[in-house]
DNA sequence: GGCCGAATTGACTTTTACGTAAATGCCGTG
DNA sequence: CACGGCATTTACGTAAAAGTCAATTCGGCC
């Protein structure tokens, strides 16, 4: 495991701009350490970026991603907080399950659409 | 199957504003018929709205949703167009499969997070 | 015919998630 | 040490997706 990644290494790996990484830092999603003014990204920062990109692909907003990331952190020490967190996690999971239903339905409809296209090609006598 | 839905019926059903429905009409996603100036939404319009909301929950942009909706329509008559459409459909499916992987990974991490919370509760001697 | 609530239109505003440009800093190399 | 190249900061810009507001206008009912 490498100790540090430069900002451009991460921009290349995740195909995002330096502006985006700085933006995520401003938003408090990542906190790379500094050598002088230069940002040094640790493996944990890199993993966070991976989680952010996943959240983005799933259509979560920055705020939602922030919430999710907080759920991955060390659980709090106080009972009330813990119970609240468990509730939040359950809500997010329900959200994701809804997305999964949406996803399966959309996939099914796309399957249908493709089938129609293929049929139409067969009608037109195209050798598939 | 009802013949027509009013704009407010749909806003209630899908929990969106009239402004949003008009916006989707401006964007060409739906084309409700008119009686005078009043919009009448057919079941097919309603189904389109359902598909739009699904796309939104999955994080697709209006343009992407527009593309997906076009895939559900009658397949084109020309071979080149048909092959292009099949290619597009396959691309969207790949996109959705990526989303599914993201989704499963996120769900798994949330499961882990919840487990940590529960363990912590047990440590604190809370009767679950 | 008059009235009221629902619907429409158009213009303006807001939020999110960065993009872009300008000015400047730091650092290894020839 | 001058230079190229990557980094940083600050500030303003912008596209997408609606929200909000004001002015108007139907359409149904008494």
């Amino acid at each position: 495991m490498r100790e540090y990644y430069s900002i451009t290494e991460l921009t290349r790996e995740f195909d995002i701009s330096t502006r985006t990484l700085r933006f995520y830092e401003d938003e408090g999603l990542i906190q790379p350490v500094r050598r002088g003014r230069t940002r040094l990204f640790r493996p944990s920062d890199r993993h966070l970026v991976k989680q952010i990109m996943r959240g983005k692909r799933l259509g979560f907003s920055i705020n939602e991603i922030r919430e999710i990331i907080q759920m991955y952190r060390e659980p709090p020490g106080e009972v009330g907080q813990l119970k609240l967190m468990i509730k939040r996690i359950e809500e997010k999971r329900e959200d994701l399950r809804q997305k999964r239903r949406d996803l399966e339905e959309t996939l099914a409809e796309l399957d249908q659409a493709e089938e129609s296209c293929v049929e139409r090609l067969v009608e037109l006598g195209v050798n598939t």
Side-chain angles (χ1 to χ4, degrees), chain A:
Chain A
M1 187 89 85
R2 305 235 340 239
E3 184 155 19
Y4 293 125
Y5 303 87
S6 79
I7 195 166
T8 33
E9 277 179 312
L10 293 192
T11 63
R12 292 205 185 100
E13 174 171 3
F14 295 108
D15 195 27
I16 53 179
S17 67
T18 60
R19 176 71 182 84
T20 299
L21 282 170
R22 287 188 207 108
F23 175 71
Y24 293 154
E25 186 180 355
D26 283 348
E27 289 295 314
L29 298 181
I30 48 180
Q31 284 127 281
V33 297
R34 302 273 180 139
R35 181 173 49 208
R37 294 201 314 168
T38 304
R39 290 165 177 83
L40 300 175
F41 294 80
R42 293 154 296 185
S44 64
D45 294 310
R46 179 168 164 280
H47 188 231
L48 272 176
V49 174
K50 196 177 284 187
Q51 290 173 330
I52 295 170
M53 300 319 286
R54 244 171 28 204
K56 281 208 53 182
R57 284 194 297 270
L58 290 174
F60 287 115
S61 72
I62 295 296
N63 275 324
E64 289 173 312
I65 290 172
R66 198 198 323 274
E67 285 175 31
I68 294 173
I69 282 178
Q70 269 155 20
M71 293 172 184
Y72 297 149
R73 286 220 242 280
E74 262 319 88
E78 199 253 311
V79 175
Q81 292 285 315
L82 271 167
K83 290 190 169 178
L84 182 61
M85 169 141 296
I86 291 174
K87 191 166 145 255
R88 293 254 173 80
I89 291 176
E90 188 43 53
E91 283 166 10
K92 271 297 164 217
R93 284 215 306 237
E94 192 37 62
D95 190 351
L96 285 168
R97 289 194 206 104
Q98 174 63 52
K99 277 191 207 290
R100 184 155 57 187
R101 285 193 293 275
D102 289 329
L103 208 152
E104 300 300 347
E105 285 172 27
T106 307
L107 272 172
E109 294 197 284
L110 285 180
D111 284 352
Q112 274 231 320
E114 187 180 20
E115 218 172 303
S116 300
C117 286
V118 172
E119 274 176 31
R120 192 88 186 78
L121 273 179
V122 172
E123 274 173 39
L124 295 174
V126 179
N127 47 346
T128 52

